Amino acid sequence: MMTNSERRVEFSFRLFEGEVLKRMFIVVLIGTASLNALEIKNDLQAINLAGSERMMSMKMLKDYILVAMNDTYKNPKKDLQKTMERFEETQRALDAYVKDPEIAEQLKKVDQMWNNAKNMLESPPKKEEALKYLKTMNILKETANEATVLLTKKSKHGTSQAVNTAGRLRAISQTIAALYMLKTWAEDKTRSSMEKVMKNFRNSLDFLKRALKNDTQAKKVLKNMEKNYLFFSMMEDAEVFTPILVIKRTNRMLKKADDLTRYLVKKQTKGGE
């Protein structure tokens, strides 16, 4: 039988043991969060991430419209929430990395535009405000693009423009998807926007073909992108389209463009994103 003194010692030991375990658990949590957090180590990675915000702007718009249409393919509601979180995480990483005053000021503008977009995305969608949604997300995309362009101009890496342009193909894929989804609400009012994005698509492909003409791996991806360009060029005037087909095609295009962007970053640095 334990004495009162022995009980007190055992009780104190258990308290100490519990506190040690608690502190270990907190350290593990912090360590896991640090591993999961985005960390930018160089300009090319910054260009890659800043450029991804252009894509996310249109991806969120696409998912927002799909949720409003009660479309459950690929769970757009869950994907929307995930992309919103990723956007904010990317902004935090960029804010931590950027030291240049001009770029930092542009990132503040991205934050402001994001607040507007976030308020919209967290509100119930209305069909009559379809073009307003497009305008809001376009402003966010263009504001993020300006930050990406500034990072590209001030980068010392020779391939920064190629990384920027390859990253732009990601945004183009999701802009095409979003515009097709908006077609069901805004009818022909999205035509001028589609013409603009297809022109941007063509120009981006032409630039990358010249810049990466000696890169065998990049040329394979660009060949695939050329097929996507022809596909959507033919679909541009189609009166009827299948949303799932568009989503599948643009998602594959997004994956290829993202792989190309990451490949170009890793080729010039010791590690990717």
Side-chain angles (χ1 to χ4, degrees), residues 131-160:
L131 293 180
K132 179 183 175 182
Y133 301 150
L134 176 60
K135 182 179 179 181
T136 298
M137 300 311 285
N138 261 335
I139 291 173
L140 177 61
K141 181 184 74 172
E142 291 306 320
T143 308
N145 182 58
E146 288 173 22
T148 310
V149 169
L150 281 174
L151 280 163
T152 303
K153 285 181 178 178
K154 299 195 178 191
S155 172
K156 296 177 182 178
H157 288 277
T159 58
S160 60

Side-chain angles (χ1 to χ4, degrees), residues 157-169:
H157 288 277
T159 58
S160 60
Q161 188 59 52
V163 171
N164 176 23
T165 308
R168 187 179 295 125
L169 289 175

Side-chain angles (χ1 to χ4, degrees), residues 63-73 76 125 185:
D63 285 335
Y64 186 61
I65 300 302
L66 286 171
V67 171
M69 293 165 59
N70 295 315
D71 194 310
T72 58
Y73 180 70
W185 279 7

Side-chain angles (χ1 to χ4, degrees), residues 193-235:
S193 296
M194 185 64 82
E195 289 173 352
K196 183 178 179 181
V197 75
M198 291 304 293
K199 183 178 180 181
N200 196 359
F201 194 172
R202 180 70 270 161
N203 291 339
S204 297
L205 280 178
D206 290 344
F207 171 81
L208 288 171
K209 282 181 177 181
R210 292 192 301 270
L212 306 173
K213 61 183 179 180
N214 296 320
D215 191 314
T216 305
Q217 188 169 334
K219 284 166 71 175
K220 288 179 181 178
V221 177
L222 293 174
K223 187 176 180 180
N224 180 273
M225 286 291 172
E226 191 69 48
K227 292 178 181 178
N228 282 304
Y229 174 79
L230 294 173
F231 176 81
F232 286 112
S233 293
M234 289 187 291
M235 276 194 66

Side-chain angles (χ1 to χ4, degrees), residues 9 26 40-41 47 78-79 102 113 117 122 127 227 230 264:
V9 170
I26 291 172
I40 302 172
K41 297 179 180 179
I47 294 167
K78 181 180 179 180
D79 192 49
E102 186 180 8
M113 295 305 104
E122 291 178 342
K127 187 175 180 179
K227 292 178 181 178
L230 294 173
L264 292 173

Side-chain angles (χ1 to χ4, degrees), residues 1 28 31 40 48 59 70 83 107 117 133 137 155 162 171 173-174 184 207 218 254 269:
M1 189 170 220
V28 170
I40 302 172
N48 178 19
K59 193 171 190 284
N70 295 315
T83 308
L107 288 175
Y133 301 150
M137 300 311 285
S155 172
S173 75
Q174 296 308 290
T184 60
F207 171 81
L254 170 59
T269 60

Side-chain angles (χ1 to χ4, degrees), residues 239-252:
E239 294 182 7
V240 180
F241 73 97
T242 306
I244 290 179
L245 176 61
V246 171
I247 294 168
K248 283 183 176 180
R249 191 97 188 193
T250 52
N251 280 349
R252 286 199 298 267

